[in-house]
Amino acid sequence: MTQHETETKTTRPLDEAKAQAFLGKVITDCGAALSAPLVLIGDALGLYKAMAFAGPQTSAELAARTGTNERYIREWLLNQAAGGYIEHDPATDRYSLPDEHAVALTDDTSPLYVGGMFHIVAAVSRAQSRIQAAFRTGEGMLWGEHDAALFPATERLFRPGYVANLIASWIPALDGVQAKLEKGAKVADIGCGHGASTLVLAEAYPNSRFHGFDNHGPSIEAARQAAQEAGVGERVTFEVAGAQNYSGADYDLVAFFDCLHDMGDPIGAMRHTAETLASDGTVLIVEPMAGNSVEEDINPVSRFYSAASVLLCMPNAIASGPLALGNQVSEQKLREVVNAGGLTRFRRATQTPINRIFEARR
Ligand SMILES: C[S@@+](CC[C@H](N)C(=O)[O-])C[C@H]1O[C@@H](n2cnc3c(N)ncnc32)[C@H](O)[C@@H]1O
């Protein structure tokens, strides 16, 4: 046995029920993993859209409606029914997509939309060999080194949540910020990616000015394009810049949407933010839901996030600075980071099942 190998056989009797329960769990997980490409195919070929709110259909009808091959569709439908994504009526041999599933799979403006998660799974999986090697070397991997599909996938993942919550509940949960934005405020959106959050804010508050910053050039290009399409004009700018050196001063609001934990120097980011903030300005920090202990993080939401943390968020932080928080960082650790950056007030303003929304001030 080499020093890297461990004993894989046991002479102790196994608990048969426990073994069977685990096999059941694994077949469910592997079935879901192997079905993920089929969800992306259903999305890309418009199969879910053709089934949405359209009533029960046979495989031949769905194939005809979507210009696809019936034999492939029949097998795809079986997989989707076995996974509980669609329903099968044995009396008519027709398949239907429940309305609730149709919204989740086809309406990317709905808070129920789940398509982004599958795109993230596909894009991030391509980094496996690189991350596997990093487990030995300890090296990082920058955000921009991932497959190009990651960046639009991230927008698809987060945008529905911003549309649903940002104006309706997150901004109102901050002390006095809504009134400032309505009157006319200066806002910086740090690590803005494709600018989804920036544009949701800009459209809601026409008297305010917004400046999105991200150190990933192609994302800033995409954000500029989106701003042009949204017709928000001079009120919104996007620049390539890091969290520790973005331009401007006297911001009424500086926002970090799902990105502070990605940064290798989050304390440096907070320090620069404290310097660029107006004296009564507010920092909005949106972070993935997480608890304050390992036990509190043993749940399906944490399972998804912690996988993303290992494959994506933590390697970016390792590659770019001294402190890799991971996306399951505790509230206490975040408080320490914010305080170390010179902001003394820190509180959880609100939350959703998948997001924590923090407010920090001088
Ligand atoms: C998970 S994505 C979130 C993007 C965007 N805020 C959203 O909600 O869609 C993290 C973003 O942080 C950016 N980022 C990471 N480290 C950064 C840094 N030090 N300065 C600026 N941006 C950074 C990445 O380029 C990426 O666009």
Side-chain angles (χ1 to χ4, degrees), residues 143-144 151 154-155 158-159 162 189-197 213-216 219 241-244 256-265 269 312-313 316 320:
W143 179 258
F151 318 119
T154 302
E155 183 186 356
F158 289 133
R159 195 171 191 282
Y162 301 153
D189 187 356
I190 315 302
C192 65
H194 282 202
S197 50
F213 301 98
D214 198 292
N215 63 4
H216 181 237
S219 287
Q244 292 157 262
F256 290 77
F257 289 96
D258 284 288
C259 62
L260 184 62
H261 64 262
D262 292 296
M263 297 174 180
D265 185 5
L312 185 56
C313 312
N316 183 70
S320 56

Side-chain angles (χ1 to χ4, degrees), residues 227-291:
Q228 208 164 12
E229 284 161 18
V232 287
E234 304 293 293
R235 289 194 305 115
V236 180
T237 64
F238 289 104
E239 261 178 58
V240 178
Q244 292 157 262
N245 57 19
Y246 64 87
S247 58
D250 283 330
Y251 288 108
D252 300 296
L253 176 66
V254 179
F256 290 77
F257 289 96
D258 284 288
C259 62
L260 184 62
H261 64 262
D262 292 296
M263 297 174 180
D265 185 5
I267 295 175
M270 283 297 111
R271 198 175 296 124
H272 185 62
T273 295
E275 286 162 11
T276 63
L277 202 60
S279 56
D280 62 345
T282 300
V283 183
L284 165 62
I285 302 167
V286 176
E287 280 290 310
M289 179 50 75

